[in-house]
Amino acid sequence: MRRFLERLLGLDRRWIFLFVLLSVAIPIIVPIGLPVTTTESTRKAFDFIEALKPGDTILISFDYGPSSAPENDPMAEAVMRQCALKKIRFIVIALYPLGGLNLANNAVAKVAFEFPDLKYGVDYVNLGYKDGASAVMRRMGDDIAGAFPTDQKGTPLARLPIMKGIASVRQVKLIFTVATGIIGEWWITQVHPQAGTPVIIGPTAVSAPKYYAFLNSGQLVGMLGGMKGAAEYEKLLRARYPEMARFYTSTHDFTATKGMDGQTVMHLIVLLFILLGNSAFLLSRRGMTR
Amino acid sequence: MKSVAPFLIGLFLSAAAFAAPTDTSAPAPPELPAPQQFVAKDKPGDSGGAVLLTWTDPPAIPAGAEIEVLRAQAPAYEWQPIDLVKPGAGRYQDTSAKDGVDYRYEVRVRPSSADSLAGVMPGPAVASDPVRSHDNWFKIERTNSFIASAIFVAIILTSIAAARSGKEIFIRRIAGLNAIDEAIGRATEIGKKVMYIPGIQSMDEIQTVASLAILGNVARSTARYGTDLDVPNKDPLTFASAREVVRSAYLAEGRPDLFREEMVNYVTYDQFAFTAAVSARMTREKPAAIFLVGYFFAESLILAETGQSTGAIQIAGQADPTQLPFFVATCDYTLIGEELYAASAYLSREPVLLGSIRGQDIAKGILILIAIVGVVLASVHVVDISSLLRTQ
Amino acid sequence: MSVDLGQLVLVLLFGLVPIIGIVLGLNSPGLRSRIPIWVAVFAGLIPILAMYVPKSFLSGPTGMSQRLDDWLIILAGFALLLGIVNVLQNNLRKIARKESGWFFSVVLLAGLFVTGGAGIYGALTKAGIGFNPDGSSTPFKYLTDWFFQPLQSTIFALLAFFMASAAFRAFRARNVEATILLIAAGLVMLGRVPILEFLAVPFPSLHSTAAGVSQAMGKLTEWIMDVPNGAAQSGIIIGAALGAASMAIRVILGIERGYLGLGRGE
């Protein structure tokens, strides 16, 4: 018994890795379709965008890279789809240096394909990437054209109908930052105080706990925390707009809702390992005290 | 004789007007009132390029009316409508004004384009004196932040002055910093190198600056003991600074012969390529001590867990709370939050630096007091001070 | 006129002062070592002043503070060159000396030149780094889509494995604090995902009970994240912000010199 406990306590971590691999891979191959419950931070984000009027403009900043794309992509796509349905205009930028622009291009192209009525330059625009994240943001607080003189195709902002009346981020109704790392936080701590524009963040699950402090202080309007937040948003979107189901039922496309199956099973596996480790630890300690 | 002609024409037109048959069947359209107390002035506390217009809406302003703002520019002063404002606003900012140019503004009440007042003529306009926008010397909306910053700086400077005068300052024990010598000593004993990763952010991040100050101390110790040091970098500016710090440390310890350029090396700008390269280096070379001090993101756990698996003694430090749980779970010692910034004062024991730490603690005490008072006042519904503290 | 004033001051502070200092300091290392401190003092003071003084020469779109931001971007670009040179030096040396793992250096340099070459090719042909006019991918985009992105995702995905192994090792009920941490972590992990519904899948009669309990757990999790977690995060953030401000004051006043490699007694 003692030897067994010792072996369990010193379990080769590769066994844990194997279980983690299976717990994530199997539900992706064979989806379970588990339900998703919504949280207040996501509902606040959803309700805020729902309350915007057709013709209002929001800014969507791609502040993440390919590494966290499975978590962040569904958030960006869900919000862009909501905008497309509600006729809310969206300005897309990318501030993440490695790969942010590519992800922005892919997401914009995907949503533009899904909603053929959307007119580039009128309903949405892609301003592309600019280096220097916080400096760029501060400049946008005063003058968007100072930071992005043209859109990604090289058209001056003054010639884009969507930019009429939008000189700085003060004029947009919302900043939605889809973020990994520090760039998302800068929108909250540097741009929000300067411009007063409300901010919603879609961080990775790892960063989400930090943003509760900003939610409590009112510096954030809402948050889509990690893949769970994205799945909640997808649920709210489907409940409000049944026609959205077509984007979330295809067996080929990855959605956050599908990703949650794997995450659920993995949580279970990790919990079991923690339970196992603690049982062995407590039993071995009892053995030692005897 | 020339001046008589216009007079005669005017007289004729007036007579014609009186002679014209008046329509008594339709009621005269209501006349819209004029806005009152209209003032145009440079917007205070800005960088220029804006004029602030204020007025009072006339009483009994009819529904469906709005305020039209017009602007005329010197020298021609031709009136151009620039915007429409809903009643009740009482103010408008013209952010398209150019600094140094004279403008005059007019406001008048007019029917909105689609409403029940169709056919009603705009009310009389009220014009402003000429005004020009310019930049200002103080941002008024940041007064609270300025006062708070001034008080904070004053407290720090007073504490530093007190420390300079020889006053003894107590600083609590920080286990992670005490362990630095232990870690380097262990590396020296077993003849393996020390690895120091100063985060993945650039030199504009204050945590990186704090980390380099600690690196200076670590490099002095490795120079003293003759232990090998490896400092891989993700950010090029941090790389350049880190190299100077290590070089200076070896020079200061009188061991420039032990310093090698490749001790501080550049890996790549990509976060995860850096993580892969450094993790592989940890696995291959098995450093005896690993320092993960600075700003880390998702790579924190990968690096720390890999280091843990190689059996190295690990000391981590980060002020941002996001990655702290991972460091606490995988490292032997972790500098949490402000401990990272206190490190250089703690390690050097310089009174001036210690003084600033004391000042920082006094400021924290004041903040806690304000928070408690604020919570109590808001809870008993006396006054909500949060608006006083809001920064813009 | 006002913009010129800003430019003039910047040139004086960051151009002439260091040059004069270096010349005067040729025979005085002490004076020479103070120059970086002065540069840091000016670079730190200007953005702080710009926070409160809205004069356009200081904080306008082409003011001193904005120009400093622009300079930082340019400096970082040149520093990146320095980094690339260092990568070349280190790896070429490894290959020349046939040190262990030299073949990986060959792969690294090949990756550097192929990716860099694809980017330069895009610039020279004006095709850019996105799509070609016919909708096909440029070489750079091809490399990004099929090499860079999957590799990045792979390394990030390692987190899941390491998180599980770290949780297994670290979450032990060693003492009261660790036990509280363990219980809170367990509750949050249970409340964030529908584990109970998953476990109840084979038992239809338990579905509604599982859903109810799961919802209650979800609310408890929200409370834990909102209140204890939110309070702790605020505490660390405020404390760290004060520490950062204090550190910044030390840097600006030239008291903190460790980051320049200037330690005690210098």
Side-chain angles (χ1 to χ4, degrees), chain B residues 179-191 194 221 225 227 288-289:
Chain B
I180 289 180
D181 274 341
E182 176 199 334
I184 296 169
R186 192 179 141 186
T188 313
E189 271 172 29
I190 58 175
V194 171
S221 295
Y225 298 128
T227 315

Side-chain angles (χ1 to χ4, degrees), chain A residues 8-11 13 16-18 20-21 24 32 34-41 43 65-71 96 98-99 101-103 105-106 131-132 134-136 138-139 142-143 180 185 204-206 208-216 225-226 228-229 232 260 263-268 270-271 273-274 276-278 281-282 285, chain C residues 47 59-63 65-67 69-70 72-73 76-77 129-131 141 144-145 148-150 152-169 171-175 182 185-199 201 211 214-215 218-219 221-222 225-227 229-231 233-235 237:
Chain A
L8 194 60
L9 282 173
L11 182 71
R13 58 186 193 152
I16 303 173
F17 293 170
L18 179 68
V20 168
L21 175 71
V24 175
I32 309 166
L34 291 169
V36 175
T37 50
T38 59
T39 54
E40 200 189 346
S41 55
R43 285 196 297 272
S67 53
S68 60
E71 272 187 289
Y96 191 85
L98 292 156
L101 176 62
N102 203 35
L103 294 164
N105 288 344
N106 291 349
D131 191 30
S134 65
V136 176
R138 284 198 295 273
R139 176 60 81 88
D142 288 325
D143 177 22
T180 178
E185 190 181 328
T204 52
V206 170
K210 179 169 69 172
Y211 293 109
Y212 281 92
F214 295 108
L215 271 172
N216 290 340
K228 167 88 162 72
E232 291 174 26
M260 281 310 289
Q263 197 163 316
T264 306
V265 181
M266 194 188 141
H267 273 217
L268 183 65
V270 173
L271 273 172
F273 270 112
I274 292 175
L276 215 61
N278 273 285
F281 173 70
L282 291 176
R285 201 160 66 168
Chain C
S59 56
T62 53
S65 180
Q66 185 59 48
R67 272 176 204 279
D69 277 346
D70 294 344
L72 182 69
I73 296 169
I129 55 170
F131 293 102
K141 183 155 172 59
T144 309
D145 284 350
F148 178 65
Q149 289 205 16
Q152 263 217 337
S153 303
T154 304
I155 303 292
F156 186 67
L158 287 179
L159 257 185
F161 298 94
F162 287 145
M163 233 176 249
S165 65
F168 173 69
R169 208 185 48 250
F171 282 138
R172 296 272 159 88
R174 289 190 181 89
N175 49 39
L182 176 67
L187 287 174
V188 171
M189 286 179 76
L190 270 174
R192 291 289 286 178
V193 289
I195 287 181
L196 295 177
E197 280 105 320
F198 171 61
L199 293 175
V201 167
S214 194
Q215 277 206 338
K219 282 189 179 141
T221 300
E222 266 194 82
M225 296 304 282
D226 250 354
V227 183
N229 165 67
Q233 300 278 351
S234 299
I237 291 171

Side-chain angles (χ1 to χ4, degrees), chain A residues 32-174:
Chain A
I32 309 166
L34 291 169
V36 175
T37 50
T38 59
T39 54
E40 200 189 346
S41 55
T42 313
R43 285 196 297 272
K44 277 183 178 169
F46 182 81
D47 292 343
F48 186 89
I49 299 181
E50 268 306 291
L52 295 177
K53 296 184 193 74
D56 283 346
T57 308
I58 70 166
L59 178 80
I60 302 177
S61 186
F62 282 71
D63 304 329
Y64 66 98
S67 53
S68 60
E71 272 187 289
N72 292 125
D73 271 350
M75 302 173 187
E77 287 165 12
V79 169
M80 281 198 279
R81 283 170 181 150
Q82 188 182 10
C83 289
L85 269 182
K86 279 191 62 79
K87 307 281 180 214
I88 295 167
R89 298 164 169 188
F90 54 93
I91 300 166
V92 170
I93 60 166
L95 297 179
Y96 191 85
L98 292 156
L101 176 62
N102 203 35
L103 294 164
N105 288 344
N106 291 349
V108 168
K110 188 173 180 182
V111 174
F113 178 75
E114 291 168 354
F115 295 88
D117 292 345
L118 285 184
K119 283 199 189 80
Y120 183 83
V122 178
D123 300 312
Y124 71 101
V125 69
N126 185 354
L127 302 186
Y129 167 76
K130 184 87 175 181
D131 191 30
S134 65
V136 176
M137 287 176 194
R138 284 198 295 273
R139 176 60 81 88
M140 291 177 79
D142 288 325
D143 177 22
I144 294 177
F148 292 92
T150 67
D151 73 349
Q152 212 191 349
K153 297 174 178 172
T155 313
L157 296 201
R159 281 175 36 204
L160 292 164
I162 187 175
M163 299 307 294
K164 189 168 178 266
I166 310 280
S168 73
V169 288
R170 288 166 206 271
Q171 280 92 39
V172 300
K173 299 287 181 196
L174 169 76

